[in-house]
Amino acid sequence: MKYLRLKRRRDFRRQRWQFLAVLVTIALGVMLYAASYDAFLNLESSYNNTYQRLAFADIAVTGGDSTLPATLAGIDGVTTVSERRQADIPMRTGTDTLLGRVVGMPPDRQPDVNKIDIIAGTYLDPSQPNGVVVETHMATEFDIAVGDTVKVLGGAGWVDANVVGIGVSPEYIWPARSKQELFPAPGTFGVMFVSQDLLKIAPNNVAVDQTLVLYDAGVDRTTVDAAVQKAALAAGASDVATRLEQPSNAALQEDVGSFGELSIMFPVLFLLAAGMATFTLLTRLVFSQRTQIGTFLANGVSSKALTRHYRSYGVILGIAGSVIGVGVGAILGWVITGAYTDALGIPDTVRTLHPATPIVGLGFGLVAGILASVAPARAVARMSPAEAMRGDIPAGRGQRSFLERVVPPVRRLPVRWLMVIRGVGRNKRRSLSTVIGVVLALVLILTSWGMIDTVQVLLDRQFNDVAIEDVTVVFQDPVTADVVSQVASRSGVAVAEPVVTLSVSAARAGGTYATELRGYESNSQVHGFLTDSGLLPPSGILAGSALVDQIGARVGDVVTLTFPQLSTSIDTTIAGFVTEPVGTVLYMDVNTLRASLAAASPSVPASALTPPSITSVAAVFDAGADRASIIAGLKTDPSVAVVVDNQAFYDLVAGFMGFFYMFVGVMLAFGAAMAFSLIFNTISVNVAERSGEYASMRANGLSLHRIGALIVGENLFLTILGIIPGLVVGYFFAFAYMGSFSSDLFSFNLEMRGSTLVLSALAMVAVAALSLVPGIRSVRNLDVAAVVRERSL
């Protein structure tokens, strides 16, 4: 009907700011969904494209006897089996020395599994036995070009290796040394692909044999994974890692998975807020237009037509907000995908407009608008003309508020305060909508702010309570007591201790888990243990708490530790668990470790632990010492291969958090915008609903100052009522959300500062106060005579 369309346009124009606030909230929710979900799908496609093109292994087995490759090749679903050898040994490029990794490759052809994408130079050549291909991250970090020379330390000394190419590997898209070292410090790690002949220079106790397996397309991965793992363990393998467990891919999937979770959670919160705001706005609109509705009904307009009319407000807002959100979100999704793949050096960038994203996005907004308008539209359908034309004169009688009945002394408060308290209970729907709006806003803000707090607190804990060493020194020669004493005697060094680091596989009935075992002195001063005593147990191991879920281990359980570098295993008990922010590491008293290995079968002498790739020296500096001078002095020592600066490691991790802070900062900004939009809309509607009352007060002599105080008092009182449950609900929502990110790689237990709760509460009060400004201004501009005349009709 033409006159209803005209009325709708006038309603939109007259309350444009309230309708615009709802529109912006819907658009933000749909935009977040479209951008994050499209980015999530595109990043998954980018990874998978690279993995498929370079034949990334579906499962990697470390160790095992000579029959293993043939056994694995005979398993249904396995299409390709490839063998190789790799070792972690010191390298030197220019003036930089690092503990790098050399990976054996066929010199005459690309391997069948885990190929490398040559982006500069050529692949290996049998005519150049000392030729190497440098992984792209290492080439960038150390400014290595084709034709340069890199030295590698073998059992007989340093050997020159000639760089013939620069390549990208699916194993090192994220350059992680292991699942426990996802963030190698700058200048301490790099990967080179070498011929199997060149790899022979690496000592046997630092090299490991690996079998890489590729599956047929479309197989049931769970079934084949289980079959391969069973066969590998039966053949004596020390570790079996699926593609999901491979360090680089695990880190990437952890990061990309956050896009998938964010693409649902935050948009749902926004759309809930938008639905709440739409419901409040339309309910108020219906309430304020009761006389008009009654007139329409009395003049023959059907209730169905009026119901459709008021429902159309929500439909229009939902469609308009969704179209804007989908359009902007699609662009943002493309931008995020490109920025992400460029930052990580992913060779394949897949950016596709996924049809499901705009369809679901439009559906989100439309459903939010329709559902929010159902109740107001039904209220119209239930009205009789006579009831509607009676207007908004209350039919009930006044009564004391709930607070006055529960706390009788409240009755003696001044009249202006009693008006505020009673105003809250006069319209429970209106009051409840304000409280719910504050709760939703706090949920979004605390979830975002809680993520920032948690990361900052956990980083501080990791580098100030756990990894307290200032430097880790890797030597070129075996590490003896004299070597440790030399470091400890340097000026500015407070303490130095040997640290044994071994790759290990922990196994029990619940499964196996590959990690690292680190041996420290019993009263270590270079590492913190988050236990009651802060010390290592005299027997058994301390384990990262994620081991409970990984293999079903409990305190007192016996686990078998297999060491692929030493070709032996030991049985030990779990003496306790530690919850550390990064990784799932095993800890053991170094003397207990030596004794256990000496008693193992086959036995391992203590001298087998002294190679520099196994034992390093960790040092803590004196307070106020010149760390730059100490580190420079260590680097000039000809026996030192690598000096890892823990502060540089911290700076690296903090730098990686930049993208995280940016993303969460955007979420926080959107949350603040949503909070303002929601509270502004709710409070503006509350003030507008009572414009007639305020005009009557004005006509009866109440000053504008007193009316303004009543408006501020009532709405701030409602805001404060919403803050209390909002802080509780927001905290537990943030707790559950952060917990969803926890894994064996990271422990993200919520760490929310008290100041965050206080500042969030104050922010809600500030937003509420700001939202009152337009309402108070509208009261000042009321035509008192006109409003009183309308109410007297």
Side-chain angles (χ1 to χ4, degrees), residues 576-615:
F577 290 101
V578 289
T579 300
E580 296 180 344
V582 180
T584 301
V585 181
L586 310 182
Y587 298 104
M588 181 180 271
D589 181 292
V590 70
N591 292 320
T592 303
L593 174 62
R594 292 188 183 115
S596 298
L597 290 173
S601 181
S603 176
V604 177
S607 59
L609 302 181
T610 60
S613 60
I614 294 177
T615 300

Side-chain angles (χ1 to χ4, degrees), residues 304-344:
K304 287 185 178 180
L306 287 173
T307 299
R308 287 195 301 269
H309 168 72
Y310 284 100
R311 188 179 293 128
S312 70
Y313 288 75
V315 172
I316 291 172
L317 287 171
I319 292 176
S322 299
V323 169
I324 295 170
V326 165
V328 177
I331 297 172
L332 281 179
W334 277 52
V335 172
I336 291 171
T337 302
Y340 194 94
T341 54
D342 286 345
L344 293 183

Side-chain angles (χ1 to χ4, degrees), residues 240-308:
V240 182
T242 64
R243 179 183 287 190
L244 287 176
E245 295 168 335
Q246 197 273 337
S248 173
N249 188 44
L252 292 173
Q253 293 303 324
E254 191 84 17
D255 201 23
V256 172
S258 65
F259 279 100
E261 295 191 27
L262 289 173
S263 67
I264 300 299
M265 189 203 71
F266 279 104
V268 166
L269 284 177
F270 270 87
L271 293 174
L272 279 174
M276 187 70 200
T278 305
F279 168 78
T280 303
L281 179 59
L282 294 183
T283 301
R284 184 264 165 184
L285 194 66
V286 170
F287 182 82
S288 66
Q289 295 181 359
R290 287 165 61 93
T291 304
Q292 297 177 32
I293 294 170
T295 303
F296 280 129
L297 292 172
N299 284 277
V301 178
S302 69
S303 60
K304 287 185 178 180
L306 287 173
T307 299
R308 287 195 301 269

